[in-house]
Amino acid sequence: MKRRIPMSFVLFVLLVIYCFSCSAFYLPGLAPVSFCVEKDIPDCQTEIQLFVNRLDSVESVLPYEYDVFDFCKDQKEIRPSENLGQVLFGERIESSPYKFTFKQDKKCNKVCTKTYKKENKEDVSKLDFLKMGMQLNYQHHWIIDNMPVTWCYDVEDGQKYCNPGFPIGCLVTADGRAKDACVINSEFNKKNTYYVFNHVDIKITYHNGEKDAWRGARLVAATLEPKSIKQTDKDNPNCDSTTPMEVPGVFDSEVSIVYTYSVTFEENTSIKWASRWDYILVSMPHTNIQWFSIMNSLVIVLFLSGMVAMIMLRTLHKDIARYNQVDQEDLIKLPSTRNKSSVNYEDAQEESGWKQVHGDVFRPPRKGMLLSVFLGQGTQIFIMTFITLFLACLGFLSPANRGALMTCAVVLWVLLGTPAGYVSARLYKTFGGEKWKTNVLLTALLCPGIVFADFFLMNLILWVEGSSAAIPFGTLVAILALWFGISVPLTFIGAYFGFKKPAIEQPVRTNQIPRQIPEQSFFTKPIPGIIMGGILPFGCIFIQLFFILNSIWSHQMYYMFGFLFLVFIILLITCSEATILLCYFHLCAEDYHWWWRSFLTSGFTAVYLFIYAVHYFFSKLQIIGAASTILYFGYTMIMVLIFFLFTGTIGFFACFWFVNKIYSVVKVD
């Protein structure tokens, strides 16, 4: 009789094949391409293809594909294979009609002409959409040899900033105010007029390999300068003209836009192919400020963490030494003198009351199933984050490898269902739970279901708006297949081993009758303690958080994964120490309900994350429109939920270790 192959194993194999096949076309930074003037040379290309990516804007969350706008299109359109991360991020890469031959300069080469007539409704619609793109400052993103084509220009203090995108055009408002890129040219001065950047001067820099051990040349930089030029002769364009291409705000006559380009090649042997991204990253705004702020934040957090650790060690060591000394003196003294010792012992207990609740400290919490489910999911997210950041530090998930970061995170999350099920089942059994089926199902479905529901609603909005960020239906089905076909079975496997193991042994016995909790001061009450507990962890991440939000919503590159990993480690230490400190304080106040408080204390950092995201939205972003606002807060809620589970799990396990440690060291019988 033949054995049937499990469905989860088949899906796993398909997932691995899918990931490797999707990234086979693009492995940037790993496979350099050589270019030669002569044809028919093995492993050497003569044609340079320019690819276009989606267009985005800092004033709108909705990105659009290149084809949605009425630009020049490639007759034989080629779409490179995209990995899962690129699809989830909404990247849509396709070929363009801009094609070059290596070391062949071209001057004012015509690409196409777009004509719009007032009586044609389709032309009116296309031109209106193009105007909308210019009004909201939508930007092109072009790619040559898997390297962004940048627009470099001078900023304040004489520095140069290289933007990996350039605008469609710009607008001079009805009151004569020049918006965005219109400020760079004094010719853009007509009121209620749009200016289209219909010409680009492209410069491609290459490193010649004649003196090295490889043949041909490798591209090390690609820059451009957008221009707006009105062509009087469509067949013989003149790119030296200074008359800008105007599109009136009121469409009252025929409009013809001629798209042209010029390309030049420049040799530069000082730039190595391996460091060709450096000129972009070095020019990122506020780079020096970012380094200084991160170092300052790390010093402050390390200092505060050291203080917390010192207070905890000294205070706890003194308590343990006092209690053990009292117990030893009580054993060696005569019966006639033990009463005096007992008085000292009671005085010690009254001074610090954490030992008085030893019979209740391991009493199972209320809603233990929900807590165990949160901890299982938090463990899955923690391991996923740690491995992803570690790989990013090694350079495998650099900005050059498009979509690799998201692909790695999704694949790791899918494959880490086993530890989630194991942790949830083991803790639920320790809490005395018996509904193991409900526990496993909630662990596998609750938090991922909330994230998927939010993601699906956001995707509906993107579908309605026609955005390129909308995930295709087939990809959604594939994500569901990975979830139910791989993650859920692995969660069941982990839960099986978790329930098979005995419950976690507690160092002290639990009394049958719960002890009455005395009246608490303001600082030891649950809500004030939880609110205070999230301040210190948030303090060590808010600087990095600013640059992370910039990379997401302002479309800037994030590349400082080394510092991010260091901040991640410090966040672990800070969440652990802050939770342990507050847990010790409320145990001293004879409040033994520490299970949920330890989770919520560090988990409250996510609330500060949400407050900061709201502040960032109103103070830093220029997003307009109801759809963009809903999308911003919808995706922010996903981030907040993931961060809540992550930080809450860190605090819980730190406190769990601490409570087990002190009650196993101190003699309580």
Side-chain angles (χ1 to χ4, degrees), residues 68-246:
V68 175
F69 292 91
D70 191 32
F71 298 130
C72 301
K73 297 177 176 58
D74 192 9
Q75 294 180 353
K76 297 180 180 179
E77 188 176 282
I78 302 173
R79 285 185 176 269
S81 299
E82 296 170 343
N83 57 42
L84 183 61
Q86 288 177 283
V87 176
L88 293 178
F89 271 128
E91 293 194 14
R92 299 293 184 266
I93 299 175
E94 58 188 85
S95 60
S96 74
Y98 298 86
K99 295 178 174 61
F100 320 119
T101 302
F102 182 64
K103 295 182 80 170
Q104 287 189 11
D105 296 349
K106 289 186 178 181
K107 176 71 173 178
C108 201
N109 193 63
K110 178 183 174 182
V111 184
C112 73
T113 302
K114 294 292 182 178
T115 303
Y116 305 95
K117 298 180 178 180
K118 181 180 178 181
E119 57 273 10
N120 190 323
K121 292 183 178 180
E122 186 177 356
D123 288 350
V124 174
S125 177
K126 290 179 180 179
L127 190 60
D128 286 343
F129 196 79
L130 187 64
K131 290 179 181 178
M132 182 277 296
M134 289 186 281
Q135 183 177 357
L136 296 180
N137 195 27
Y138 271 84
Q139 301 208 353
H140 289 279
H141 292 280
W142 290 2
I143 302 167
I144 289 180
D145 190 29
N146 195 48
M147 182 175 51
V149 183
T150 58
W151 176 32
C152 297
Y153 51 87
D154 295 329
V155 292
E156 54 188 19
D157 299 332
Q159 296 181 349
K160 180 170 289 189
Y161 172 56
C162 291
N163 186 1
F166 67 96
I168 297 173
C170 58
L171 165 67
V172 176
T173 61
D175 56 359
R177 182 172 58 91
K179 286 188 60 181
D180 304 316
C182 278
V183 299
I184 64 176
N185 194 335
S186 59
E187 297 286 339
F188 301 161
N189 51 22
K190 188 175 293 187
K191 296 182 180 180
N192 193 24
T193 302
Y194 298 85
Y195 294 91
V196 182
F197 290 129
N198 59 329
H199 175 81
V200 287
D201 288 328
I202 303 174
K203 183 175 73 172
I204 299 176
T205 307
Y206 63 92
H207 181 103
N208 202 325
E210 292 179 355
K211 298 180 180 179
D212 298 315
W214 40 272
R215 181 185 299 177
R218 293 173 182 173
L219 307 186
V220 293
T223 59
L224 60 75
E225 182 182 356
K227 294 181 179 179
S228 179
I229 302 175
K230 185 175 182 179
Q231 302 292 348
T232 55
D233 188 350
K234 300 177 184 179
D235 298 324
N236 299 300
N238 177 20
C239 296
D240 295 327
S241 172
T242 58
T243 305
M245 180 64 224
E246 300 176 354

Side-chain angles (χ1 to χ4, degrees), residues 581-631:
L581 183 63
L582 291 173
C583 179
Y584 176 72
F585 286 158
H586 73 254
L587 285 178
C588 288
E590 302 180 22
D591 184 357
Y592 51 84
H593 295 308
W594 63 274
W595 301 96
W596 271 106
R597 284 183 65 168
S598 63
F599 183 85
L600 296 176
T601 297
S602 55
F604 201 80
T605 311
V607 178
Y608 291 108
L609 169 63
F610 178 74
I611 295 172
Y612 184 82
V614 174
H615 165 73
Y616 181 84
F617 177 81
F618 288 104
S619 63
K620 303 296 182 182
L621 294 182
Q622 307 169 357
I623 291 177
I624 57 176
S628 295
T629 304
I630 294 173
L631 288 168

Side-chain angles (χ1 to χ4, degrees), residues 373-423:
V373 168
F374 283 171
L375 292 170
Q377 279 295 318
T379 303
Q380 189 175 8
I381 293 170
F382 168 75
I383 300 174
M384 175 199 74
T385 306
F386 179 83
I387 297 176
T388 302
L389 290 180
F390 181 74
L391 292 176
C393 288
L394 298 179
F396 293 113
L397 309 178
S398 67
N401 200 351
R402 306 176 192 277
L405 188 70
M406 178 61 75
T407 303
C408 178
V410 172
V411 171
L412 284 173
W413 181 86
V414 169
L415 299 179
L416 288 171
T418 302
Y422 179 84
V423 170

Side-chain angles (χ1 to χ4, degrees), residues 38-64:
E38 301 85 1
K39 295 184 179 180
D40 301 328
I41 298 179
D43 301 326
C44 203
Q45 300 181 14
T46 57
E47 298 296 327
I48 300 176
Q49 175 69 63
L50 188 147
F51 288 91
V52 292
N53 203 343
R54 66 177 187 176
L55 287 86
D56 52 36
S57 168
V58 295
E59 299 183 26
S60 175
V61 181
L62 302 169
Y64 291 100

